[in-house]
Amino acid sequence: MLEERLKSWIREHQPLMADLQRVRELDLPQCYIAAGYIRNYAWDILHGYDRSDRHSDIDVVFFDPDDVSEERDELLERRLKEETLNPKWSVKNQARMHIKNGDGPYQSTADAMSMWPETATAIGARLNPAGGIELICPYGLEDLFGLRVRRSPAFLKREYYLERVLRKEWASQWPLLTIFED
């Protein structure tokens, strides 16, 4: 099962596990580390690379409609950066991100992630109170493990998707990827 395989890989990645623990301690609703940190790590493993830090940021996403202030996100982000001495942290309450993205209001973290550009990016992980890994993946894990870059069905901005894929230079970093233009 792909979920168990990904959870196993995450358990083996001690820096990621430490980051998941740190994020769990924030005690935010529907909170996950998501996007490139998870995706790139899996792609590295699937390519046989011995690297685990090829991510430009550590995306922390959560859903709290009761406090959508950017100041809260900035405070949490600053706290994580200071605690870890790592400048890559990015914290975003998905309850307000629909405004930036020009979408209707999101109903949950999973709903917000379903609007992200790529299916293989819409993946997150968190630690539950017992220390187990829980995944959120509105489009499943088949594209991630199949090394497929595909536009999410709900993401309608095709040109932005294509520009993003080119800008990220994924094809040169992970040559086994299959990138779908539509």
Side-chain angles (χ1 to χ4, degrees), residues 93-154:
N93 183 352
Q94 300 300 293
R96 79 158 192 285
M97 294 309 292
H98 68 283
I99 297 165
K100 177 185 180 227
N101 297 335
D103 298 325
Y106 303 143
Q107 303 304 309
S108 65
T109 298
D111 184 36
M113 289 174 67
S114 75
M115 302 300 284
W116 288 6
E118 308 88 26
T119 57
T121 300
I123 297 169
R126 71 177 176 186
L127 292 180
N128 63 29
I133 297 169
E134 295 179 0
L135 299 177
I136 185 171
C137 37
Y139 295 110
L141 297 171
E142 290 78 13
D143 283 347
L144 177 73
F145 279 90
L147 296 167
R148 292 184 290 268
V149 178
R150 181 186 321 269
R151 184 165 50 100
S152 298

Side-chain angles (χ1 to χ4, degrees), residues 1-110:
M1 180 183 222
L2 297 180
E3 274 199 28
E4 290 309 313
R5 192 167 162 198
L6 181 57
K7 287 178 184 180
S8 173
W9 288 351
I10 291 170
R11 277 190 290 276
E12 294 169 2
H13 188 334
Q14 289 309 307
L16 176 52
M17 287 297 293
D19 289 337
L20 288 169
Q21 173 65 36
R22 204 168 275 109
V23 167
R24 181 179 66 180
E25 291 168 3
L26 296 175
D27 198 29
L28 296 167
Q30 300 180 43
C31 186
Y32 298 82
I33 289 179
Y37 198 167
I38 308 294
R39 180 199 61 226
N40 296 1
Y41 175 54
W43 285 351
D44 279 352
I45 291 172
L46 292 166
H47 275 77
Y49 298 161
D50 189 25
R51 292 177 246 170
S52 59
D53 63 349
R54 294 197 315 154
H55 52 274
S56 57
D57 49 22
I58 302 171
D59 291 295
V60 177
V61 296
F62 67 101
F63 192 85
D64 186 359
D66 295 329
D67 181 356
V68 294
S69 69
E70 285 187 56
E71 294 77 21
R72 177 188 187 193
D73 292 1
E74 292 166 2
L75 181 67
L76 292 165
E77 194 172 294
R78 190 167 43 254
R79 173 181 161 187
L80 290 166
K81 288 176 180 180
E82 289 171 1
E83 287 177 2
T84 63
L85 302 177
N86 186 338
K88 294 183 177 184
W89 291 96
S90 172
V91 179
K92 298 285 186 284
N93 183 352
Q94 300 300 293
R96 79 158 192 285
M97 294 309 292
H98 68 283
I99 297 165
K100 177 185 180 227
N101 297 335
D103 298 325
Y106 303 143
Q107 303 304 309
S108 65
T109 298

Side-chain angles (χ1 to χ4, degrees), residues 103 114-117 151-161 182:
D103 298 325
S114 75
M115 302 300 284
W116 288 6
R151 184 165 50 100
S152 298
F155 191 81
L156 303 178
K157 302 169 192 149
R158 181 178 178 271
E159 293 307 315
Y160 176 84
Y161 158 77
D182 199 28

